[in-house]
Amino acid sequence: MKLGSLKSPHSRDGELCVVSKDLKTAVKATQIAPNLREALEHWKDKESALQKLYTDLNAGTAKDSFLVNESEFHSAMPRTWLFADGSAFIHHIKLVRMARKAPLPETLETVPLMYQGECGQFLAPTEDIPQRDFSHGTDFEGEVGVITDFVPMGITPEEALKKIRLLVLINDVSLRGLIPEELAQGFGFFQSKPASALSPFTVTPDELGTSYQNGRINLPLTVNYNGEFFGKANAGAMHFHFGQLIAHAAKTRNLAAGSIIGSGTVSNDVQGAGSSCLAEKRMIEQIETGSIKTPFMKAGDTIEMEMLDEKGHSIFGRIFQKVKAV
Amino acid sequence: MKLGSLKSPHSRDGELCVVSKDLKTAVKATQIAPNLREALEHWKDKESALQKLYTDLNAGTAKDSFLVNESEFHSAMPRTWLFADGSAFIHHIKLVRMARKAPLPETLETVPLMYQGECGQFLAPTEDIPQRDFSHGTDFEGEVGVITDFVPMGITPEEALKKIRLLVLINDVSLRGLIPEELAQGFGFFQSKPASALSPFTVTPDELGTSYQNGRINLPLTVNYNGEFFGKANAGAMHFHFGQLIAHAAKTRNLAAGSIIGSGTVSNDVQGAGSSCLAEKRMIEQIETGSIKTPFMKAGDTIEMEMLDEKGHSIFGRIFQKVKAV
């Protein structure tokens, strides 16, 4: 099933919609739950009614369905209680740490890296990325993520896999210019991780068929920058799968229903895969040519992210954002 | 005005109550707003009705008022969109960094330290602190905090002072045993900062009279550990005031209405003030005697926090928590 949140002047959570498999039509599901956040909080009671509506919508028999205009949709989950962002692609960590001249963590392959990101106000998938200062070093990070049910503290990675309710794409906006100073302070990221955007639609794992297996999405994430190819790294290359990331997040706390766990920038050590963030491309330039050519984002630059299924159809809709000076 | 959130089987947000100045009686305000979170999202429209109810309650004329049993109240704000915790007491930073053998940040006096804490599920003020493993080094941190209106990105510290709607106490639970490894990873705190608790009641700044001035609460925070005096450090000794902390948090993002900004552990460089967390007491023992005597919390240990006004009356009600092995 595919779900989205129609923008609403009345609620920051948006209005829950069921969206057709081909993303062409949608129908409000607010009679089942007013918004996705509340649907997830009562998932056991809501799932079958949502699934029934999805079946009807795909069959063309859902009442009051309408044509999808993606710009009318907010991020699939406009706000939630936790966005815990991992860094599960070790190839990316290696390159970025080289770029920051920072040592690799000793626990690189055994303990996930994770920080807590802004979750109270995601940008919409077509909303401008605000830039207060070019020196902040605005960057995108193409990621995949999961949205969980309630997760009890101390869960195992295997049990955690069963708590994954939905999959989503994330543009984790990062301000690279602020990272060195923040990390030198010792408390981790804060100002360097402003509001991110999610894809307009979120889907249950069964929508991916065999492309979703054991907490990994085995499909490339298409990233276009200023209208040109930038990356198509396969999201299945996560060193830690989502069950492991969820278990890491839940080691000392329960996770509220609707928590979002991010993969970190999708990254492959494969010729031609490109990158999912500027920082990685810059580091590769440094290694290959001895100097960095690609600047960080300036006002007007656009970033597009999408994931296509094996038949070339968009699964989650499209993130398409422009940087805007504010 | 004083507000609280009655525990409810129907909502994780609790039911909004107005509480009398002496904390003896309360009345549900759910006809004004179902919960504090939603009241803050529409504060301009809700404040005067809440204030009117508060006046009636204090006059003994509010209909359906009831006697307060603090154990029936959740944390004043049971969940919210952001808990950004600062570290505004520089005396504490100096001692804790010495304890961790970590260098002092170069920007100690110019840039606040801040991390993002768990905000989706606060513990209730009398709820047990779960302890999965004694080696996690469970500690309390007595803090003061503010709850904000919507705050636009880029706000100045002076303008930010005007966005403070409510004041609250916080027991910021910390797992000291997990901090060194997490900080060595470079992404900051995550597992080492599990769910915290707030005081049962939150109050508008005018409730503190002249004890609240320019973003600082000039009153001691009473901390008792296992029933004995532990600290009475004055919360007014913040190096950065709350306007500065809010502006720091909002440098690159808007803050949702209902965001909580914490002061960090209240700490005074004053003989007899004691401490507001075990880590600080341990460090003082190390400095004064060459060895640490005080262990971190074990199952059964209790922590109590309260702030009294100049006449000795409790302002926010009492945080009283026991550690429980889980």
Side-chain angles (χ1 to χ4, degrees), chain A residues 248-324:
Chain A
H248 182 85
K251 183 175 173 183
T252 60
R253 66 176 83 180
N254 300 319
L255 308 186
S259 290
I260 299 177
I261 312 291
S263 67
T265 307
V266 176
S267 176
N268 293 170
D269 190 6
V270 171
Q271 195 67 30
S275 297
S276 307
C277 70
L278 291 169
E280 188 171 305
K281 184 174 170 70
R282 287 161 57 93
M283 188 55 211
I284 293 167
E285 289 170 350
Q286 174 76 46
I287 293 166
E288 292 184 352
T289 72
S291 68
I292 294 168
K293 291 181 197 69
T294 305
F296 287 118
M297 299 177 92
K298 58 187 184 307
D301 284 335
T302 61
I303 178 66
E304 180 182 2
M305 296 175 186
E306 199 164 23
M307 183 172 272
L308 306 180
D309 66 17
E310 283 154 355
K311 291 176 183 163
H313 299 132
S314 182
I315 299 171
F316 302 96
R318 196 173 65 129
I319 295 174
F320 184 81
Q321 298 184 273
K322 185 190 284 188
V323 172
K324 185 182 177 186

Side-chain angles (χ1 to χ4, degrees), chain A residues 237-257:
Chain A
M238 289 167 74
H239 177 78
F240 300 103
H241 64 67
F242 276 113
Q244 292 171 299
L245 295 182
I246 294 168
H248 182 85
K251 183 175 173 183
T252 60
R253 66 176 83 180
N254 300 319
L255 308 186

Side-chain angles (χ1 to χ4, degrees), chain B residues 115-138:
Chain B
Y115 71 92
Q116 200 167 324
E118 168 64 20
C119 58
Q121 309 180 107
F122 287 110
L123 298 175
T126 53
E127 192 171 346
D128 290 338
I129 298 168
Q131 184 175 72
R132 290 190 59 212
D133 190 329
F134 177 73
S135 76
H136 288 178
T138 306

Side-chain angles (χ1 to χ4, degrees), chain A:
Chain A
M1 137 170 85
K2 302 196 176 192
L3 301 169
S5 299
L6 206 58
K7 291 176 186 172
S8 161
H10 307 298
S11 169
R12 188 61 177 73
D13 293 301
E15 292 182 280
L16 180 62
C17 289
V18 168
V19 181
S20 64
K21 190 178 268 295
D22 63 7
L23 307 182
K24 289 188 176 156
T25 60
V27 60
K28 285 192 190 181
T30 46
Q31 78 286 8
I32 299 171
N35 52 60
L36 181 56
R37 183 172 61 74
E38 293 182 64
L40 283 157
E41 287 172 1
H42 305 279
W43 191 251
K44 211 172 53 175
D45 303 330
K46 306 295 182 186
E47 185 182 11
S48 63
L50 291 170
Q51 184 63 52
K52 165 87 168 58
L53 191 54
Y54 183 60
T55 304
D56 292 349
L57 181 67
N58 285 326
T61 58
K63 214 180 136 190
D64 299 326
S65 69
F66 57 91
L67 290 177
V68 165
N69 174 349
E70 286 193 17
S71 69
E72 292 173 358
F73 283 82
H74 209 297
S75 275
M77 184 117 176
R79 60 178 180 177
T80 189
W81 308 111
L82 177 72
F83 170 34
D85 201 15
S87 188
F89 294 88
I90 286 189
H91 180 59
H92 173 75
I93 301 175
K94 288 180 179 170
L95 290 169
V96 170
R97 295 273 168 145
M98 283 171 75
R100 287 214 305 262
K101 296 192 173 65
L104 283 171
E106 282 180 29
T107 52
L108 180 70
E109 297 191 12
T110 53
V111 183
L113 293 170
M114 187 171 280
Y115 71 92
Q116 201 168 322
E118 168 64 20
C119 58
Q121 307 180 109
F122 287 109
L123 298 175
T126 54
E127 192 170 347
D128 290 338
I129 298 168
Q131 184 176 72
R132 289 190 60 213
D133 189 330
F134 177 72
S135 77
H136 289 179
T138 307
D139 198 358
F140 51 86
E141 290 196 21
E143 304 194 5
V144 292
V146 298
I147 307 180
T148 72
D149 202 342
F150 174 83
V151 178
M153 180 164 59
I155 198 167
T156 64
E158 292 66 37
E159 286 298 311
L161 286 174
K162 300 175 192 165
K163 302 296 183 184
I164 296 170
R165 292 287 160 266
L166 296 163
L167 311 177
V168 72
L169 304 183
I170 305 166
N171 176 17
D172 174 41
V173 179
S174 296
L175 302 177
R176 304 286 182 195
L178 300 177
I179 288 179
E181 264 184 55
E182 285 208 320
L183 295 195
Q185 280 189 301
F187 269 37
F189 308 109
F190 191 100
Q191 294 177 338
S192 52
K193 292 289 187 177
S196 293
L198 308 181
S199 52
F201 310 117
T202 180
V203 312
T204 46
D206 62 289
E207 286 292 332
L208 273 68
T210 56
S211 296
Y212 175 81
Q213 281 186 320
N214 302 317
R216 290 187 179 89
I217 299 173
N218 297 299
L219 285 170
L221 178 69
T222 302
V223 178
N224 294 320
Y225 183 46
N226 289 328
E228 294 182 7
F229 170 82
F230 193 83
K232 55 172 184 183
N234 196 300
M238 289 167 74
H239 177 78
F240 300 103
H241 64 67
F242 276 113
Q244 292 171 299
L245 295 182
I246 294 168
H248 182 85
K251 183 175 173 183
T252 60
R253 66 176 83 180
N254 300 319
L255 308 186
S259 290
I260 299 177
I261 312 291
S263 67
T265 307
V266 176
S267 176
N268 293 170
D269 190 6
V270 171
Q271 195 67 30
S275 297
S276 307
C277 70
L278 291 169
E280 188 171 305
K281 184 174 170 70
R282 287 161 57 93
M283 188 55 211
I284 293 167
E285 289 170 350
Q286 174 76 46
I287 293 166
E288 292 184 352
T289 72
S291 68
I292 294 168
K293 291 181 197 69
T294 305
F296 287 118
M297 299 177 92
K298 58 187 184 307
D301 284 335
T302 61
I303 178 66
E304 180 182 2
M305 296 175 186
E306 199 164 23
M307 183 172 272
L308 306 180
D309 66 17
E310 283 154 355
K311 291 176 183 163
H313 299 132
S314 182
I315 299 171
F316 302 96
R318 196 173 65 129
I319 295 174
F320 184 81
Q321 298 184 273
K322 185 190 284 188
V323 172
K324 185 182 177 186
V326 293

Side-chain angles (χ1 to χ4, degrees), chain B residues 196-207:
Chain B
S196 294
L198 308 180
S199 52
F201 309 117
T202 180
V203 313
T204 46
D206 62 289
E207 287 292 332

